[in-house]
Amino acid sequence: MVLDLSMPGMGGLEALRRLFAHDPRACATAQIEGDANPAELLSEREFSVFIQLARGMSVAQIAATLNLSISTVGSHLYRVKQKLGTTNQAELTWIALRWGLIQV
């Protein structure tokens, strides 16, 4: 599925929120916007791991939810942090909040 974040009606971000609320295993590819390089993309798995971590799940919980090994989740998180220029979970959560992918 391809989503336009500015599509009419509910909008792309709301559609993503609903998709993840319905199926935590759902995957998406996100384009980084704002002050980041728009050409920089997260893979589907990286995005899924990023969202689950931003929602407060542990690495072990993410691994179980996405049917991945703990080391694979760790590798995805390492790449996500590199691509987004972050160093910790708090910064990742802030980015997810800023993108409107999670709510407080």
Side-chain angles (χ1 to χ4, degrees):
M1 170 179 15
V2 177
L3 274 173
D4 180 352
L5 296 181
S6 62
M7 69 183 191
M10 79 170 73
L13 290 177
E14 180 59 26
L16 275 176
R17 273 192 221 93
R18 291 180 184 191
L19 176 65
F20 287 125
H22 177 71
D23 183 1
R25 292 184 184 218
C27 298
T29 301
Q31 181 170 348
I32 299 169
E33 297 185 8
D35 56 1
N37 181 349
E40 194 174 36
L41 298 174
L42 299 177
S43 73
E44 291 181 16
R45 285 290 180 201
E46 290 168 347
F47 187 75
S48 295
V49 167
F50 162 64
I51 289 296
Q52 301 301 334
L53 185 72
R55 290 179 173 165
M57 294 179 80
S58 69
V59 171
Q61 290 170 322
I62 295 169
T65 299
L66 298 177
N67 198 26
L68 300 170
S69 72
I70 290 174
S71 64
T72 298
V73 171
S75 295
H76 286 311
L77 285 175
Y78 176 78
R79 284 193 299 280
V80 167
K81 287 177 184 176
Q82 282 188 314
K83 288 180 179 183
L84 300 181
T86 63
T87 58
N88 58 50
Q89 181 175 350
E91 291 172 340
L92 290 174
T93 302
W94 180 83
I95 289 170
L97 284 167
R98 186 179 71 180
W99 285 352
L101 299 172
I102 62 171
Q103 296 177 348
V104 182

